Amino acid sequence: MSAALASLLAGWDSAAADEFLTPAVSVVRVEWRAVVDQLRTEIGGTPAVAANFSFAGQRRVGASHPRSMPALVQLNAATAPVFAGIARSTVPVLLPFDTSAYLADELGGTPPAPLPRYQAEFNPVDFFDAGPAGYDAVFSLAPDMGQPQRTFAKPVLVEITGSLLTYDLNDPQGGKGEPVRSLAVEFPDLRRFIREGYVRYAFTRFGVPYVVSIQCLDSAPRVRRLACREAYPVAERFLKALRIAGGLPARPRPDLAATAVERPRAFSPDFTYRPVGEILLGSGFHRQRGRVDLTAYSQIRFPLEAPAYVHSQSFGRRSGSKADQPNSAYPWRDNFCEARSFGVGQCANGFGHQGEDIRPGACPSHGEGPNTCDPRQQPIVAVRDGVVIRAPRQQAATLQINGRNEHIRFRYMHMSPSRMDADGLLNGRQITEGEKIGVVSNYLDHPNGTTRHLHFDVQVFTRDGWIWVNPYATLISAYERLIGGRGRELGAEIATSAATNVPLPPADAVRPGLQEGSEN
């Protein structure tokens, strides 16, 4: 546990009930000289290629300056046509890309072969993003996965992240896993484990944490769903093909300790909310309670216009009952850990909702003119400047922020996939904070599959990869900035509805082992 995290946890007991904190983030130190030595080894077997790289003098300038390592500058220039912006990565970029073979063909006057030829038969990269926090990439393998005995319904997606930043979470499931014998020599500290709907391979190289992951089902294979055991050979094929493809040193920076979040001093006359972690009684998985997490993980723009309401869309609405919980009124209520069979390590028993359900305010009953509210066109906006992660026809749209002080993802659910496709909300699109990216809808596997609301969640990068964290405090502080007033936290109390009377969520909301709206 880092000193910053220990200090954060020790201070929680004495903190005010409504005090929110920024996340504690650790910054790794990259062993760049070892990177250059490894690059020299990787291209050394192809003299014609090696002759075009300058390794002399790499130790004469400070190791944090690109001029100290001209070979890396040359490498980035060579691979940038395939992986745009690769030089922006502040960690060594490891990809299943045979740079030597690619450059040898180019230098020999032979047009480079199709990219799978240099990528262990993985298709051209589906998504690549590099920046001050590191890089992320997604590759796919053909549906037969190189295994004639099993043809999967869709290409298998493999994701890799290397990050300069890791978020320090109080994580009871963190650091677990088993070694992989066949990879032990090349990856001495490799851990393989299944977590939150993915099989993950976590390892450290050059002082940097990397995680390779494939979404899968921890059970027997199904026609349209990849079993995790089927994913093992695909991930290991990917790992064996990893080579240095780029990246450049950046100035060292200190760890980021948790600090109190600045919030409006004046109180809102209307906005109230239930305490963080107080879910409806009986709505948790196996009647578990919620989890208190006072972290505001990022300073974001709230994703809807005010008024808006954070409430469960699946529990607590018993028609005609005084215990009915309206989802279009204050106070807000946390629903991050309410019952779902989605993996959420931050909730008790490891299962939960993954995010928060948000309902927009009702349109005025009467309105005229160009600004009249249309209940079917209430906008959803980007919470930050970032890049979109989304393939065609996928139900979820993810916004990733790769910045100097954060490596974080925000996911939006229940917008129409066809509408998102038509609007170009697809892999690699750059969007700006406040930009409209869709409208509140009710899509879950099909139109009218759920209530009309936005499901919003947050992931941060850790040494176990991307982990779901509770966005409730993040949303409260964002809403306060939007309306210009501080919310009032209502005292914790037991819900009046009996646990036995809390209805179960719809059947289509419970899918063992997968993410909400999972494509697999």
Side-chain angles (χ1 to χ4, degrees):
M1 180 184 296
S2 72
L5 177 58
S7 174
L8 165 62
L9 296 177
W12 272 11
D13 291 339
S14 60
D18 60 350
E19 181 179 10
F20 298 154
L21 302 167
T22 62
V25 180
S26 295
V27 183
V28 304
R29 184 174 293 276
V30 185
E31 301 163 2
W32 282 104
R33 289 179 179 172
V35 176
V36 175
D37 290 342
Q38 179 63 34
L39 175 62
R40 192 204 307 260
T41 299
E42 289 180 3
I43 66 176
T46 311
V49 173
N52 285 272
F53 284 80
S54 302
F55 292 97
Q58 64 167 320
R59 300 179 186 273
R60 290 201 292 266
V61 184
S64 64
H65 198 287
R67 285 186 301 161
S68 67
M69 299 172 183
L72 291 179
V73 176
Q74 294 162 328
L75 176 64
N76 286 302
T79 56
V82 182
F83 307 105
I86 194 169
R88 292 195 294 266
S89 175
T90 55
V91 302
V93 178
L94 300 181
L95 297 174
F97 186 72
D98 190 339
T99 304
S100 290
Y102 177 79
L103 294 179
D105 285 350
E106 198 172 56
L107 291 170
T110 303
L115 285 176
R117 158 74 172 76
Y118 309 106
Q119 297 181 169
E121 299 308 317
F122 286 92
N123 294 322
V125 67
D126 293 282
F127 173 84
F128 181 79
D129 177 55
Y135 77 100
D136 300 85
V138 179
F139 290 81
S140 63
L141 193 62
D144 64 7
M145 304 180 295
Q147 303 176 47
Q149 70 274 19
R150 167 81 155 113
T151 298
F152 189 53
K154 295 174 289 187
V156 180
L157 301 180
V158 185
E159 179 175 351
I160 183 170
T161 295
S163 186
L164 194 71
L165 309 177
T166 56
Y167 285 70
D168 300 325
L169 304 181
N170 180 13
D171 187 4
Q173 296 187 21
K176 299 178 181 180
E178 61 181 5
V180 180
R181 287 186 181 180
S182 62
L183 299 173
V185 173
E186 191 170 3
F187 301 93
D189 69 339
L190 182 71
R191 296 180 290 120
R192 180 177 66 194
F193 54 99
I194 298 171
R195 183 166 186 188
E196 299 190 352
Y198 288 81
V199 60
R200 305 175 184 220
Y201 292 71
F203 63 95
T204 304
R205 183 166 289 183
F206 313 121
V208 177
Y210 296 87
V211 179
V212 171
S213 59
I214 299 177
Q215 189 177 3
C216 59
L217 195 64
D218 190 15
S219 65
R222 300 184 185 180
V223 174
R224 295 184 58 81
R225 293 180 179 173
L226 183 71
C228 289
R229 288 193 173 274
E230 293 181 303
Y232 293 172
V234 179
E236 291 163 25
R237 175 179 184 167
F238 187 93
L239 285 158
K240 290 175 183 177
L242 290 179
R243 300 291 184 272
I244 298 171
L248 277 177
R251 292 181 179 178
R253 66 190 81 161
D255 291 354
L256 302 172
T259 60
V261 173
E262 187 174 339
R263 303 170 67 187
R265 291 188 178 183
F267 281 88
S268 164
D270 304 311
F271 177 39
T272 57
Y273 60 91
R274 306 299 307 176
V276 178
E278 187 192 280
I279 62 176
L280 281 167
L281 183 65
S283 67
F285 189 84
H286 289 173
R287 309 301 181 187
Q288 72 187 24
R289 294 182 179 273
R291 183 178 187 276
V292 177
D293 184 352
L294 299 177
T295 309
Y297 284 94
S298 182
Q299 183 165 310
I300 63 172
R301 197 275 191 203
F302 193 75
L304 302 179
E305 298 295 340
Y309 308 99
V310 174
H311 282 291
S312 171
Q313 298 300 303
S314 300
F315 293 91
R317 291 188 59 80
R318 290 185 288 131
S319 179
S321 168
K322 293 181 180 180
D324 182 55
Q325 298 293 317
N327 51 25
S328 292
Y330 300 125
W332 286 10
R333 188 183 287 275
D334 190 355
N335 53 91
F336 176 67
C337 286
E338 70 178 22
R340 298 292 193 280
S341 290
F342 309 131
V344 184
Q346 294 285 291
C347 296
N349 300 320
F351 295 95
H353 183 201
Q354 296 181 338
E356 302 285 353
D357 286 340
I358 312 172
R359 179 177 287 272
C363 285
S365 56
H366 299 286
E368 297 180 359
N371 296 321
T372 300
C373 174
D374 182 344
R376 296 186 179 182
Q377 297 296 322
Q378 290 175 280
I380 294 173
V381 302
V383 296
R384 291 285 302 280
D385 295 352
V387 62
V388 174
I389 305 175
R390 181 181 173 271
R393 297 183 297 280
Q394 282 188 335
Q395 298 188 50
T398 298
L399 176 62
Q400 176 169 285
I401 286 75
N402 181 333
R404 180 172 172 78
N405 295 326
E406 56 185 344
H407 205 175
I408 190 168
R409 290 175 174 178
F410 305 98
R411 190 177 64 156
Y412 300 75
M413 288 288 302
H414 305 316
M415 294 185 288
S416 164
S418 61
R419 178 74 175 269
M420 288 189 285
D421 289 350
D423 291 343
L425 199 67
L426 298 166
N427 279 329
R429 175 174 163 182
Q430 298 286 337
I431 55 180
T432 59
E433 181 176 320
E435 179 181 346
K436 181 181 174 181
I437 60 173
V439 297
V440 180
S441 189
N442 57 9
Y443 193 98
L444 180 61
D445 294 333
H446 53 79
N448 301 313
T450 183
T451 59
R452 195 172 64 87
H453 71 282
L454 169 66
H455 171 100
F456 181 84
D457 53 46
V458 177
Q459 288 179 292
V460 296
F461 187 78
T462 73
R463 289 182 179 270
D464 274 12
W466 292 97
I467 298 298
W468 307 105
V469 291
N470 191 344
Y472 192 58
T474 306
L475 289 168
I476 291 171
S477 60
Y479 195 71
E480 290 175 334
R481 289 189 296 273
L482 180 67
I483 64 176
R486 188 176 181 125
R488 296 180 185 273
E489 180 184 288
L490 304 185
E493 60 187 35
I494 298 175
T496 57
S497 59
T500 55
N501 289 330
V502 177
L504 291 175
D508 61 4
V510 179
R511 303 175 194 162
L514 293 177
Q515 300 182 65
E516 177 163 323
S518 167
E519 296 305 311
N520 285 343

